Amino acid sequence: MAFPVTILTLYPEMFPGPLGASIAGRGLREGLWSLDTVQIRDFATDRHRSVDHTPAGGGAGMVMRADVVAAAIDSVPPGRPVLAMTPRGATLTQARVRALASGPGVTILCGRFEGIDQRVFEARDIEEVSIGDYILSGGEMAALTLLDACIRLLPGVMGAASSGDDESFETGLLEYPHYTRPVTWEGRTIPQVLRSGDHARIDAWRKQQAEIDTRLRRPDLWERHEGARVQPPSGARQKNGNE
Ligand code: SAH
């Protein structure tokens, strides 16, 4: 069954945007996922069609009105998780992306201005999601990011080339580094082991590199991974002993 997506936004023209190209675009044309946008402004009730107002308590910017946003949410058929993109949400993870991609689809609310009246999150069943510790001008790019991550996992979208099981984060580690032709470039040669044709050695090397790189680049991930198993990284000591 296709993966239905509904986006609630003040800028429906931003969709599908980049998701109309490449594998997501092909998936959309083939009906592997579907897209619906809802213009939040259509639910404004005053004659100026206003969707925002100044913040209670004062301060800079504008806040999206609870009554208007809730009416937009209520216009979407129930039965799918409703996500709101906000820097105050739980940071998106590959595990959450995988769970969403295997679910019934998603409805995504995109904020603008200073954000959305907090009472909406209390009054409706909404999951607040952040894509990282930085501030965007609106939730649309965050929604596109979340969708791209979900869509590539939908059955049929990526083809048979890879199940994606090896990717960074799927194993709790960063992925090993990649190389391709030419064998020598600017005096740098592809590691010999990758040209050996010995698949057992190649697998072992890749696993070791993934562990070393995760430990050095993402100590936070490594610690979590270490906590889940008890083994030290195979060969990481010798390889990085001179740093
Ligand atoms: N005043 C808010 C930021 C508002 S940014 C604060 O300081 O928390 C405007 C909108 O952009 C938000 O409502 C949200 O929808 C979106 N947005 C900004 N940064 C985001 C992030 N890191 N993750 C998800 N959505 C984000």
Side-chain angles (χ1 to χ4, degrees), residues 85-88 110-115 129-132 134-139 142:
M85 307 315 300
T86 160
R88 287 165 43 91
C110 303
R112 279 276 156 178
F113 320 119
E114 290 305 318
V129 179
S130 167
I131 62 161
Y134 42 83
I135 304 296
L136 305 169
S137 55

